[in-house]
Amino acid sequence: MKIKTLKRSLILLVLAMAFPTVFMGQPSNFKFGSPTDEELTMTSYAPDESAPAVVLYQSTRVWYDILTGKFKVYTEVKTRIKILKSEGKEYADVEVPYIYDEHDKSFREDITGLKAWAYNMENGKMVKTKMENNSVSRERVDKTHMLLKFSIPQVKEGTVVEYQYKKESDYYFYIDTWVAQAEIPVAYTYYNLLIPEYFRFSIDETGMVRTENKVEEESIRFIDSRGNDLVCTGTRYEFVGHDLPALKSDSYVFCTLDYCKKVSAELRGLEVPGSLYENFTTSWEEIGRRLMADDDFGKRIKRACPIKDLVSSSGVEKETDVVKKMAAIYTALKSRLKWNGNYKLYAESASKTLKDGTGSNADLNFILLSAYREAGLDARPVVMSRRTKGRLPLSHPSLNKLNTLVVGVVDGQTVHFIDASVEDGYVDVLPPSLLTEQGLLLSDDGTGNWLNLQSLDASKANVIVEGTLEADGTIKGTCNSQMRANLSASLKSEFREADDSLSYINKLAERDGITISEYAIDDREAFLPMATERFSFTKKVEADGSHIYLNPFVIPMISESPFKAVTRVLPVEYPYKYTVSMVTTLNLPEGYVVEEMPKPLNLVTDDKTLSMRVNYALQGEKMVVQCRFVVNKTLFLPEEYDTLRQIYDSIVEKNNEMVVLKKG
């Protein structure tokens, strides 16, 4: 996850001006504004030579104060980054999130004291460039959140960038989570958190790397609204990490933030002298009740359906199948409204969404919930955090951790799911980022049940390849692939997002090493959980007149492993469970016999959650290859990676083995 993306998650990386204690492994340069010659001239970071940039130091100093009789929490930020390669320049573009509710003026946050510089070596001398105000902007994200955005100038390969700012927050009950790691390595990081005794926080430290930690008590002096001294005991928490490895995102990790080193603080209670103890401890049950009592959430669902005409015209009055009824109403809704690509938890007004003809998934989902209820379905919201935004902290309930919802329809003991972002899926066929293990189905009274959306039916593909091999090595054949659920949605999506059908077909032909003469996708535009891909092809294999050298996987299944690294820090996350079955039948040329045939393959993990089986058979003049690949869980831990990698290596090796035919 990039530095700027981490900041979107309210993670602040700060350098303290002075360190009250001494830790091992401190950097040699603490002085902000004066990068050393070594920092300016360094061309690589020894622990990770491939890094495009490195955080030379980062630190967070968080403390409390009293202003106009109210507690405030302050965060001071200073960061220094070395740009090592051209692609590392993006780390000079920074986004700092803060809360600025456009409706509630009593609580807000503000960013002050922003300064940033770039340092470059030119003709043996350091040139310092200051960021001007025209490089800074503020952008509203939603009704409660803003972004401070800035771009540091004169950044190129070899530049050192520094920036600093301070955040003042009225939200004294909330402390941003501190994250020690990023997508680039961190040479040195420091977190200093000072909490007065009045605030009872639970401090939670998680992650796969170690930091040096220290906890001490000390005296804190405040001045209250009357000018009187207020002295109390405080607890200072300090965390130091050095040479922390980069957590690089890849297609097999949804959110690196789930696995990086971080420290979070959850307020349990507040007890100020002269005041009653205030309990801040909450539960998911309480959050559910708050949501369903909210005018912008639960009460919205109970209002009159804004698209009664569409419901009545959808022809579902006599439909008894719940899934078909859901699909019909959804199709009617999508004929009038389009998803704008955004995921949200709260929605704009239904009238605005209908007027604009477009909206976020929340905008459309609230209308869909109302429409389903109008049609007599037991429709309820299912709130969650998208997999790309991180797992929900079940032990530390927080409304801020929820970021979207899908629609759940209860049908007896079964719950069916749908979301307005579905372009190519179906009922119970959601985008992978919404297939979370933690979805909270809310009833009208706010009570909820946790559901695992990854337990939905696994995707399947049945591939039939039939062809005839000629003596000159030419194969002419057909491929027919029947796909269901997310494999079907993936196929439709890839075809829809291609520049045009020809470019898609050419890409497919190049991938499989074939020439395609006819191509079609059945049910490509239909709102169904299935699709069939059909094409005719020719392929050339090696033939010298006496022998033919043939890869029996005419259409490759897995020709290259995605897991080439010897070791892996992060788990492997699959988007969904799936099974691919492939049967290849080839008519052999007359007069040829099989001289060499690969051996069968049967690979299964100990827990039987991943397997690959390959069998070969001769049936008269035909050769038949049967293959079945199964992924039956979505998360493989780092300690399982070596087994996973070895299985994929064996599969690739098997996919590249040859059958040798000899002329008799």
Side-chain angles (χ1 to χ4, degrees), residues 133-173:
N133 290 337
N134 58 10
S135 296
V136 183
S137 64
R138 295 176 187 259
E139 176 184 307
R140 178 159 292 282
V141 179
D142 54 36
K143 66 180 182 180
T144 57
H145 295 92
M146 297 282 291
L147 278 179
L148 176 71
K149 304 171 71 172
F150 60 91
S151 297
I152 303 174
Q154 298 300 316
V155 174
K156 55 188 176 181
E157 185 175 324
T159 304
V160 171
V161 298
E162 290 184 330
Y163 57 86
Q164 65 178 27
Y165 59 86
K166 184 168 72 173
K167 184 175 79 169
E168 177 184 315
S169 176
D170 294 325
Y171 296 91
Y172 57 84
F173 44 81

Side-chain angles (χ1 to χ4, degrees), residues 604-606 610 638-648:
V604 186
T605 56
D606 291 339
L610 188 142
E639 51 266 33
E640 299 175 284
Y641 175 71
D642 190 53
T643 299
L644 192 66
R645 183 176 63 87
Q646 290 179 24
I647 287 180
Y648 269 85

Side-chain angles (χ1 to χ4, degrees), residues 46 122 248 580 622 661:
E122 296 181 9
K248 301 175 183 178
V580 177
K622 296 181 180 181
L661 302 178

Side-chain angles (χ1 to χ4, degrees), residues 458 577-578 608-610 630-634 636:
K577 303 173 186 177
Y578 65 92
K608 299 182 180 180
T609 55
L610 188 142
V630 179
V631 177
N632 203 30
K633 73 175 180 179
T634 57
F636 289 81

